[in-house]
Each structure stands twice: as structure tokens, then as C-alpha cells.
Amino acid sequence: MNTATPDPGVRATSREWWGLAVLALPTLLLSLDLSVLHLALPQLSADLGATMVQQLWIIDIYGFMIAGFLITMGSLGDRIGRRKLLLIGAVAFAIASVVAAFSTSPEMLIVTRALMGLAGATLMPSTLALISNMFQDPAQRGAAIGVWVSCFMGGMALGPLVGGTVLQFFWWGAVFLLALPVMALLLVAGPALLPEFRDTTSTKRLDLASVALSLATILPLVYGIKELAKGGWEPVPALAIVVGVVFGVAFVLRQRRLAEPLMDLRLFSNRSFSGALVIALLGAAIGGGTILVVNLYLQMVAGLSPLRAGLLMLPSGFAMVAAAMTAPAIARKVRPAYVIAGGFLVAAVGYLLLTQLDRAGGLALVVVGVILTSAGSGPQAALSTELVLRNTPPEKAGSAASMSETSGELGMALGVAALGSVATAVYGGVLSDNMPAGTPAEAAQSARESIVGAINAGEQLAGPVGAQLLEAARDAFTSGLHVVVAVSAALYVILAVVAVATLRHAPPSGAVEAPGQAEVPEPSVETAN
């Protein structure tokens, strides 16, 4: 077993590149699983008799568990071995997927989805941390991280398309069985192609109190933010956020006292590390919030089916992949801050284009606008991850990878909550001002709550009132979309300035002699020899 610090002068060989291909597949699968189930939900709900609340938990519990356990599993991989944890997670994910496919009740499926999320949390930081060990040359590492980010983003874009294709020919459980060949390949090829790496100076023991505090921080935060995004202001989700913040403070205080913390807070003293995490969180927040509103526009205003809307968004996924793959090559010569900032400005132009949409549709404008926003956010996704790992000691790569991924998860949830609330507020206000005369009070109340409620109410009303309500609701939602994308454009311009201000000192990757040499804080443990 190789537990030594990798030699920064060694360039990757064909073995490492084949190993990257092996790591790319589970990364693609894990992100695909975040979105693939949405199309299968109607079928499985009918078969299992799932209530609306159970349907929400079937969808959400997977992401909750991944977000909650990322930090713990990243630190555990540093201690026991990243390849070992990866292979254990692959076995667990495969078993949980099979059980999920043949679930006989909603409760059984919720539990198995939770187990899939727990297993997924072992896989995600392990794949990224192993890449940092396998690719020590800065240019090669940047390219490898670009591939990893592309697979993660590509999986989310492909999820609706893959789900729709599978459901055309098989029953709903087949979407879970997609994991089996991927995990089988990982288990067969992983031991031969992937190196083992762990921190030999660690005691290998996790501080269980820190694990409990991290879960008590992340899970209530993610739950509260997502619930507020779905249903607006409610006391229970708001209380969950407060609870998460309180436990978060306790978690930070405990980490400061421990000799071997679950999260080494001294990493944040590095400007590139902390700046990259902030950029990743805010970038994910803007992108996650706006894409939700755009998808609703395509289905509720333009009248597209979920599958057709997914197909229409597919070019944007390819644009993000292309940008994420290209950005590391540019960053070899240009400082990452300027590459990221340039991408944000391109994305801002895309959002400004979307302000020209109207109720009549304009699908070509949607495609062009979203392609620009996706291409503009690709450099941030790849380079912020690379900066986090570049400025992390090798023995802390798993923990750092989990922080990077957690920031993305929280950013997405925050963006959906914040920008979704903006869209809802504008929609409700505009619709109230333009509510058709003669609309029954109950229908008007339902319409003001959401565009979905307005469409249901409008279809049930006979005569011109129903048609006028539908027209007014679609106009109101389009107004909400305009505000959201205009705000997003402004935020991306501000974020471009923030990226330059916080990351301008980070050199191009071609000027970095070894990972972690620029501004790396003193590690909490000695580097293994």
C-alpha cells in the first residue's frame, strides 16, 4: 500500500488516465441519480401508493444524506484509505440500489434511498481526493479535475433524458439498476488502477461527537432551506435553520479544540482555499436558483413536457462540460481569477438575454441564453475545485474535497430558496394586480400561491374567466422570471469582481511547481513519508 506523499515531479502515466476513467463513471452516476428519479416518480408512486409527502422524501432524502455525510466520509477516507472507502461505498451503493429497485412500499424506498445517499457520500470525496493524489503535475491535475466536474455536471443534465429513455422500455425500478454495471467495473478495475492513499500519522479514529455535530448542522440547514424554497415561510423549516446554525457554532468550537479535527479549520487561513469555496457556494446558488425558474417556465408557460424540456436543456449541459474541460487549459497561462471572472460575465450576458422572454415562448432564446449561462459557470466549477485541492496538503485532500462538494450542495439549496422566493413574490404580486374579474375566491387564492395552482384552477373554470386566468398567470410568472434573471445577471457581475479580488494572487497552474506550495497553512499533522 502506498501511503507516502506523492512526488510532485511525477507526471501521470496511462495507468492514472485509465484510473480517471474508472473514477469518472461513478461520478457521472451519482449526479445522474440526483435527477433521474423525477420522471419515474409518477409510476412508482402509483405502484407503491406513495402520498405527496412520501414522494417528496423519496426525492429529497438522497441529497440530504449525501450533503450530511460528505464531511464525515471525506475525513474518514483520509484516515482509513481513500481507495478502501471508495470500494466499500461501491458495494454499499450497489446493494442499496438493488433493494431500492424492488421496494414494495414507500417507506422501504425512502430507507433504501437514504442508504444510497450515505453510500454516495463515501464515493464523491474519495473520487476527487484520489484524483489529487494521482495527478501531481498541475496542468494534468487541472485537466483531470475538469473531467471530473464535467462528469458531475453532465450527469445532472443527462438525468431526465436517461430516465425518460429507460422508462420507455422498463419499469420504474430499472432506473436504480443503472448503478450495477458501473459499480461492478469500479470494483474490478479499481484495485488495479487506483492507488491507495491515507494519512499515516492519523489515529484513524473519528471524533464521534464531531460527526454528530456535523450532521446536526448540515441536515437541518439543508432541510430548512429546501422546505422554505418549496412552501414559503413556515415556522418548522425556519426553526430547523436556526437549529442547524446553533449546532454549526458548536461544531466549529469543537474543531478548534481537537488535535485531529473532523474539519481542519486552519485550511481556511489560505486565501485561495477560502475564496474558492465562497465562489463555489455563491456560483452554485445563482445557477441552481435560476435553472429551477427556467425549467418551470418551459413547462408551465411554454407548455413543454418534462422530457421535452429536458431535451431542450441538453445543449446547455454540453456547453458547461465543454467550458469545464477548456478552462483548466486556459488557466495554465492566465490566472484562474480572470478565467472565472470572464466566465461569470459571459453567464451574465446569458441571463440578460433571458430578460427578453415573453409569455408566447421563445424557445430559441431560452436555448441560447441558457447555453451562455452554463458555459459561463463551467470555469468556476472546474477551477474553484482545482484551487481548493491545489492549496490543500495531500493528507487533507479528502476532507477538502468534501468541503468543496458541501459548499456546492448548500449553494444549490440556498439559491433555490432565495431566488425561488423572489420569483414567487413577484409572481404573486403581479397576478394579484391583474386577477381577472369574476375569478372565484378559492381559485384566485390557489392561483396566487403558485403557477401550478393557477393552471389547475384555470383549467377547472369554464368560459373566458379560466382562459384569462391562465393568461394572467403566465404573464405574471414571466415577470417573475425577468426579475430573477436580471438579479442573477447583476449578481454574476458582482461575483466576477469578488473572484478577481479574492483569487487574483493565485498563479496560473502552469506556474505552480507542486500542489499545495502556494500559501499552504501548516498542516495539522506531519506529511507521511
Side-chain angles (χ1 to χ4, degrees):
M1 177 188 296
N2 175 23
T3 59
T5 301
D7 182 357
V10 175
R11 286 179 60 84
T13 65
S14 59
R15 181 188 181 214
E16 281 75 30
W17 289 107
W18 280 111
L20 175 63
V22 171
L23 293 174
L25 286 174
T27 303
L28 181 69
L29 176 73
L30 289 171
S31 63
L32 187 146
D33 258 21
L34 289 169
S35 56
V36 72
L37 197 60
H38 288 82
L39 292 178
L41 193 61
Q43 289 187 23
L44 71 86
S45 298
D47 286 351
L48 300 180
T51 65
M52 183 58 69
V53 173
Q54 289 171 330
Q55 291 176 41
L56 292 175
W57 278 109
I58 288 169
I59 292 291
D60 289 341
I61 192 65
Y62 178 77
F64 287 163
M65 297 300 285
I66 286 181
F69 280 93
L70 275 173
I71 291 175
T72 297
M73 295 306 176
S75 183
L76 181 62
D78 290 339
R79 287 167 164 80
I80 71 170
R82 293 160 190 167
R83 186 181 69 185
K84 178 187 291 185
L85 184 64
L86 180 70
L87 299 180
I88 292 172
V91 172
F93 195 90
I95 294 174
S97 297
V98 172
V99 179
F102 295 98
S103 293
T104 56
S105 68
E107 293 81 7
M108 182 178 177
L109 185 54
I110 291 170
V111 171
T112 53
R113 284 281 287 173
L115 294 175
M116 288 174 66
L118 179 59
T122 70
L123 296 169
M124 291 178 70
S126 297
T127 56
L128 188 53
L130 281 170
I131 287 173
S132 74
N133 300 138
M134 294 159 60
F135 297 91
Q136 294 303 301
D137 177 78
Q140 289 185 324
R141 185 182 62 248
I145 290 174
V147 171
W148 184 90
V149 170
S150 298
C151 287
F152 187 78
M153 297 298 180
M156 295 185 70
L158 288 172
L161 178 60
V162 172
T165 303
V166 170
L167 293 171
Q168 284 287 106
F169 303 99
F170 304 101
W171 96 113
W172 59 264
V175 298
F176 297 112
L177 300 181
L178 294 172
L180 297 185
V182 173
M183 295 306 161
L185 177 61
L186 177 59
L187 291 170
V188 171
L193 296 174
L194 303 177
E196 181 58 286
F197 187 95
R198 64 179 176 84
D199 178 8
T200 55
T201 64
S202 172
T203 63
K204 298 185 182 180
R205 297 180 60 183
L206 286 176
D207 177 55
L208 296 182
S210 293
V211 172
L213 285 172
S214 72
L215 294 176
T217 299
I218 299 296
L219 291 177
L221 279 176
V222 175
Y223 168 79
I225 292 169
K226 286 194 173 187
E227 289 302 304
L228 288 178
K230 290 175 185 175
W233 173 260
E234 294 289 344
V236 173
L239 179 61
I241 292 175
V242 173
V243 169
V245 170
V246 171
F247 279 113
V249 172
F251 175 78
V252 169
L253 293 176
R254 183 168 182 82
Q255 301 317 292
R256 291 182 179 277
R257 297 197 304 266
L258 295 176
E260 288 192 44
L262 189 69
M263 177 190 291
D264 191 347
L265 299 179
R266 281 177 289 186
L267 292 173
F268 288 93
S269 64
N270 181 293
R271 287 183 298 167
S272 293
F273 180 92
S274 54
L277 283 182
V278 170
I279 295 295
L281 185 145
L282 296 178
I286 297 170
T290 51
I291 203 66
L292 170 68
V293 179
V294 171
N295 273 316
L296 282 172
Y297 170 86
L298 290 174
Q299 295 180 53
M300 300 295 111
V301 177
L304 302 183
S305 67
L307 181 56
R308 192 178 170 200
L311 288 171
L312 198 67
M313 300 293 283
L314 201 55
S316 66
F318 292 135
M320 179 174 285
V321 168
M325 294 283 286
T326 305
I330 299 174
R332 292 180 62 185
K333 302 294 184 181
V334 181
R335 288 182 181 270
Y338 301 120
V339 181
I340 292 172
F344 284 148
L345 294 179
V346 171
V349 172
Y351 284 128
L352 289 176
L353 283 179
L354 295 178
T355 62
Q356 304 306 305
L357 287 172
D358 57 29
R359 175 174 51 84
L363 299 184
L365 189 60
V366 173
V367 171
V368 174
V370 176
I371 283 176
L372 289 175
T373 62
S374 299
S377 59
Q380 170 267 312
L383 296 181
S384 62
T385 303
E386 196 274 335
L387 284 169
V388 166
L389 293 179
R390 180 200 298 185
N391 293 279
T392 300
E395 68 273 11
K396 297 295 182 183
S399 180
S402 68
M403 292 185 217
S404 177
E405 290 155 7
T406 301
S407 70
E409 292 281 344
L410 287 176
M412 290 280 286
L414 281 169
V416 170
L419 294 177
S421 297
V422 170
T424 300
V426 174
Y427 163 81
V430 172
L431 184 59
S432 294
D433 293 339
N434 296 278
M435 188 69 68
T439 304
E442 184 177 348
Q445 178 61 32
S446 177
R448 277 190 290 264
E449 290 176 357
S450 70
I451 181 69
V452 176
I455 290 176
N456 290 336
E459 290 175 346
Q460 292 173 5
L461 291 175
V465 173
Q468 292 170 9
L469 177 59
L470 290 175
E471 182 177 334
R474 287 174 174 140
D475 282 337
F477 189 86
T478 304
S479 297
L481 171 67
H482 289 163
V483 172
V484 166
V485 294
V487 168
S488 298
L491 289 176
Y492 262 149
V493 172
I494 295 171
L495 204 51
V497 176
V498 172
V500 172
T502 58
L503 301 175
R504 66 181 184 276
H505 58 276
S509 59
V512 179
E513 295 180 359
Q517 282 192 349
E519 281 196 88
V520 178
E522 290 295 324
S524 58
V525 294
E526 293 182 1
T527 303
N529 294 315

